[in-house]
Amino acid sequence: MKAMQLLLFTPAVASAYTLHHQPRNPSFAVGRDAQRRSRSASSSSQSLYRSDVDTTTLDTITTAMGSISKRLPLMQPPSPKTSPKPFKRSISVREAEAEHGMPWKSSIDTEVKDDELLYMPFWEWQMDFMEENLTDLKVVECKNDKDTDFSYNANEKKKARIVNVCFSSKEYRKIRMTYYDAGDNTQVYNAVWYPNPEYNLPVLGIDLLAFNRKKYLAIVDFQPIHDNEEDHASRYEHLLKPIKDKYDSLKGRMSSKFYDETKHFSQQMLFARFDDEQVVSRDLFPAFKSYVETHLDLIRSTEAQPEEVETVLAKTKAYDTYSADRDPATGLFAAMYGKEWAEDFVHDFLFSMSDRPAEGAAPPANPFMGGPPRGGPPQNQGQKVQRP
């Protein structure tokens, strides 16, 4: 499963994870909306997480993903009349954020009452951080050449909505942010930071998911665009190791069962699969902030290399194509918002430099993206490893 993807699993897919479920723990409140309601039920139990993914579980997930895409009827893309209007003028960062009511204060599912938007504090903190620290931060329209607007879409019947914003700055060619809200069934926060190609540095990827508020998955990484760390303008893994060392709950490893290549992951990737929601506030949130801050520090400490731009863009294009070809959420997007919208969203927004596959080409055998951290397959593969 690749950090750059928005993995919007339905409850059927989420149930494929073979985890022991602990009582739902209090969420956390940060950012501008510091008075969020907390759950009355509290648990002091320690986080239960796994350091690998057994192959039986991944087989089950793969089967479930395929069956869901087949069962859900494809919806027609929304008509231009109901689509959000593209920006017709220059707007501010906060105006772009507020275009569709962000930051949301409640879920699209009105039956959910307590702390329904688990990852909204991450969105709010990132918006504040960008506004306060990036140079010449500008809004980029979430549209393609066909004038399709990807900034917002909703399926009221299935109680699911998605919002996207995109920015650029002197330091970053593109920063995209996505929030997917389907009530307690699924909450997702996804962000990708593409550095200015003059810096020849890794991409910062963030993928945070919650299924039924019982199963949680988190990936944060400086994702290499080259096969070797030393081919980037600056080494960076030594900067991440002290951060990762603080959080045992974020030191998980991914199974190599379904991964055909060992690239686009660093050895200091934060990876966690857990049941205890307290991990989100206790470990994941501070680690996420440290990785974002370190990525910007890395850019500012690296000398620009204009002569490398062509090479870096070629590597980024290969990275986007690799990611788009293996995105497992395309079928679910098609079921929710229409096949054309889904394919355009993946190739024209999520991975906008990607090449589309040839018409009639068979999809990759691997339904998941990426590979294990470089350095070989994880140890204890096939075993269910748990830590206290």
Side-chain angles (χ1 to χ4, degrees):
M1 188 173 302
K2 191 171 187 303
M4 297 302 91
Q5 298 171 265
L6 185 62
L7 308 182
L8 306 184
F9 293 123
T10 64
V13 176
S15 67
Y17 291 104
T18 54
L19 298 173
H20 299 291
H21 308 316
Q22 296 183 358
R24 184 167 162 177
N25 290 307
S27 185
F28 64 107
V30 295
R32 294 188 299 274
D33 189 20
Q35 302 301 320
R36 291 181 186 274
R37 299 181 300 277
S38 62
R39 296 181 180 80
S40 58
S42 175
S43 171
S44 60
S45 58
Q46 295 295 317
S47 166
L48 179 62
Y49 54 90
R50 291 171 47 187
S51 60
D52 74 336
V53 183
D54 60 277
T55 57
T56 301
T57 296
L58 285 174
D59 285 333
T60 305
I61 295 172
T62 304
T63 302
M65 180 71 76
S67 64
I68 289 169
S69 296
K70 292 178 181 178
R71 289 201 310 269
L72 290 174
L74 292 179
M75 296 178 61
Q76 293 299 317
S79 67
K81 293 182 180 180
T82 60
S83 299
K85 295 181 180 180
F87 299 133
K88 299 296 184 182
R89 57 184 174 83
S90 177
I91 64 172
S92 70
V93 170
R94 291 301 179 179
E95 285 175 325
E97 179 189 31
E99 185 76 10
H100 301 290
M102 288 293 279
W104 296 327
K105 305 303 180 185
S106 58
S107 174
I108 191 173
D109 186 350
T110 57
E111 295 181 3
V112 179
K113 300 300 181 184
D114 296 327
D115 297 315
E116 56 265 50
L117 300 172
L118 177 64
Y119 297 120
M120 195 57 67
F122 290 76
W123 173 290
E124 293 179 302
W125 183 88
Q126 180 170 323
M127 288 294 301
D128 289 341
F129 178 83
M130 293 189 304
E131 198 170 39
E132 294 169 5
N133 293 280
L134 298 186
T135 306
D136 196 20
L137 184 64
K138 296 179 180 178
V139 178
V140 177
E141 289 186 331
C142 302
K143 298 193 301 181
N144 62 4
D145 293 339
K146 296 187 292 186
D147 210 33
T148 303
D149 190 349
F150 302 111
S151 62
Y152 181 80
N153 213 331
N155 187 319
E156 298 290 343
K157 183 177 180 180
K158 298 181 185 297
K159 296 182 179 180
R161 60 181 173 176
I162 186 171
V163 65
N164 301 282
V165 292
C166 192
F167 306 98
S168 67
S169 72
K170 179 180 178 181
E171 299 87 357
Y172 292 93
R173 177 182 64 84
K174 174 183 177 181
I175 303 172
R176 61 171 174 84
M177 300 168 63
T178 297
Y179 201 98
Y180 179 84
D181 165 38
D184 274 355
N185 287 336
T186 311
Q187 291 286 306
V188 176
Y189 176 59
N190 174 258
V192 182
W193 304 55
Y194 292 87
N196 182 321
E198 290 188 352
Y199 294 111
N200 187 21
L201 291 172
V203 172
L204 171 61
I206 300 140
D207 217 4
L208 314 177
L209 308 95
F211 311 115
N212 297 315
R213 300 299 280 267
K214 295 179 180 179
K215 311 174 187 70
Y216 304 85
L217 177 67
I219 305 171
V220 183
D221 195 18
F222 284 25
Q223 298 207 278
I225 59 173
H226 300 285
D227 293 336
N228 300 309
E229 181 190 7
E230 56 269 20
D231 291 334
H232 299 81
S234 299
R235 288 183 174 269
Y236 53 90
E237 292 195 0
H238 68 286
L239 302 174
L240 303 178
K241 188 177 186 302
I243 302 172
K244 184 177 179 179
D245 284 347
K246 296 179 182 178
Y247 306 104
D248 287 342
S249 62
L250 306 181
K251 296 179 181 178
R253 302 290 297 272
M254 292 191 295
S255 168
S256 60
K257 168 73 174 178
F258 288 102
Y259 303 104
D260 57 355
E261 295 185 55
T262 57
K263 61 181 180 180
H264 301 317
F265 286 110
S266 80
Q267 294 188 34
Q268 300 305 322
M269 172 183 63
L270 302 179
F271 179 87
R273 188 186 301 277
F274 52 94
D275 295 355
D276 182 359
E277 193 168 288
Q278 288 184 348
V279 172
V280 175
S281 59
R282 187 188 66 221
D283 298 341
L284 182 57
F285 192 59
F288 152 79
K289 291 191 290 185
S290 294
Y291 267 50
V292 171
E293 292 166 344
T294 301
H295 198 267
L296 179 57
D297 289 343
L298 178 65
I299 288 179
R300 289 181 170 165
S301 65
T302 300
E303 184 177 352
Q305 299 175 315
E307 68 277 8
E308 294 293 326
V309 167
E310 185 176 348
T311 298
V312 171
L313 288 177
K315 289 290 185 179
T316 304
K317 182 180 180 67
Y319 164 85
D320 269 12
T321 300
Y322 177 85
S323 302
D325 285 349
R326 291 161 177 79
D327 192 335
T330 306
L332 297 180
F333 285 135
M336 285 288 183
Y337 309 121
K339 184 175 184 294
E340 181 180 358
W341 189 95
E343 292 181 351
D344 288 348
F345 178 62
V346 170
H347 288 282
D348 298 340
F349 179 74
L350 293 183
F351 307 107
S352 55
M353 291 188 68
S354 63
D355 286 328
R356 293 184 182 241
E359 187 174 353
N366 173 13
F368 295 95
M369 297 187 59
R374 288 178 292 127
Q379 297 179 355
N380 302 315
Q381 184 175 340
Q383 301 178 19
K384 296 182 179 180
V385 180
Q386 295 181 349
R387 301 175 184 174

